[in-house]
Amino acid sequence: MMTNDQIKIVLVDDHKLLRDGLRNIIEQKSNMKIIGEASDGREAISVCSKLLPDVLVIDVAMANLNGIEAAKQIHKTCPDIKIIGLSMHSSKQFIQGMFKAGAYGYLLKDGDSNELITAINTVVQNIKYLSKDINQEFLSIIKQGNTIENTLLSSREKEVLQLITEGKSSKEIGEVLFLSSKTVDVHRNNIMKKIDLYTIPELTKYAIKKGFTSLEM
């Protein structure tokens, strides 16, 4: 049973086993309640717009639409939702990407369960939280509003790039993004020109480095 003072949470990860584990940790706390789940970024956008949770805990690297781009879209339409990124990666690209997208917290998946609870309780107080196992200088940079690195690509181009690296054709990408194949090809050509890379292996390596894809090196 949910009470008015409980923190309402949505969990997003493409591995159900991990979501189940997070649920077990969170629901041991009487002041927290899981109100929804999703398995990818696009589903997360839909669930959050309908349920309007207080906190969203979202995997950073997922297929179809990664956590960074999903967080950006969710923050734009539902700015009151406090977003916590969950990742195996501690590189500045992923951390900076999540906080620039509107996240309030960033946790490593190999952290302890107590830190997840601490992070949730922290962000609902409008205080940003960074995993204790990450260099805390990053948090100072983020709070100051500085950028570590700018990207040349638009949000739509990042979505297209991720789907390209996942092996989808222009037609398949168009079906996912509700675009024509011709429009997808225009985005593909613009991406290649902007970053001066023209083969799938080069694009994939770039996307992994920038945190735009769920693929691993």
Side-chain angles (χ1 to χ4, degrees):
M1 181 177 180
M2 186 167 64
T3 61
N4 291 334
D5 58 348
Q6 282 182 308
I7 301 170
K8 297 175 293 184
I9 302 165
V10 164
L11 299 177
V12 182
D13 195 283
D14 51 5
H15 294 96
K16 187 177 185 302
L17 190 61
L18 181 57
R19 294 201 310 272
D20 289 344
L22 295 175
R23 175 183 284 276
N24 289 336
I25 292 168
I26 290 170
E27 293 200 329
Q28 290 180 29
K29 302 298 177 180
S30 60
N31 68 323
M32 299 181 185
K33 178 70 175 180
I34 306 297
I35 61 170
E37 296 185 16
S39 59
D40 63 48
R42 297 192 193 286
E43 189 181 357
I45 293 169
S46 176
V47 170
C48 286
S49 66
K50 293 175 182 177
L51 300 182
L52 297 176
D54 300 309
V55 176
L56 167 65
V57 179
I58 184 168
D59 187 12
V60 174
M62 294 181 292
N64 203 12
L65 183 67
N66 64 67
I68 294 174
E69 289 305 308
K72 184 180 297 183
Q73 294 184 38
I74 291 167
H75 180 67
K76 184 177 181 179
T77 57
C78 307
D80 291 335
I81 297 175
K82 295 299 185 287
I83 302 170
I84 298 175
L86 189 63
S87 179
M88 293 295 296
H89 303 283
S90 59
S91 69
K92 64 183 181 182
Q93 298 293 345
F94 288 89
I95 298 168
Q96 179 74 18
M98 279 303 296
F99 280 102
K100 283 185 66 178
Y104 252 69
Y106 192 99
L107 290 173
L108 295 178
K109 287 187 176 182
D110 57 2
D112 61 60
S113 59
N114 290 332
E115 188 171 26
L116 172 61
I117 301 303
T118 299
I120 293 171
N121 283 321
T122 299
V123 299
V124 294
Q125 299 176 64
N126 294 319
I127 301 171
K128 291 181 177 175
Y129 187 91
L130 185 62
S131 176
K132 62 185 180 183
D133 293 325
I134 298 175
N135 187 338
Q136 294 299 306
E137 290 181 6
F138 285 159
L139 191 55
S140 297
I141 293 172
I142 291 159
K143 285 181 175 178
Q144 291 166 13
N146 298 328
T147 58
I148 297 174
E149 182 175 345
N150 293 320
T151 178
L152 298 171
L153 304 182
S154 68
S155 292
R156 177 63 84 191
E157 287 167 342
K158 291 174 189 174
E159 289 184 89
V160 172
L161 176 58
Q162 175 171 355
L163 295 170
I164 289 171
T165 62
E166 292 174 4
K168 290 182 171 60
S169 66
S170 293
K171 180 180 179 181
E172 290 170 329
I173 293 172
E175 290 172 351
V176 172
L177 300 179
F178 302 102
L179 301 172
S180 68
S181 297
K182 184 176 180 179
T183 299
V184 172
D185 287 337
V186 170
H187 284 308
R188 183 193 297 263
N189 289 334
N190 288 341
I191 291 167
M192 290 177 172
K193 288 177 182 178
K194 282 185 177 183
I195 62 180
D196 196 27
L197 298 173
Y198 297 91
T199 68
I200 296 300
E202 288 176 326
L203 292 173
T204 300
K205 185 175 181 180
Y206 177 87
I208 292 172
K209 180 181 178 182
K210 298 298 183 182
F212 300 155
T213 180
S214 63
L215 300 177
E216 301 287 348
M217 293 292 286

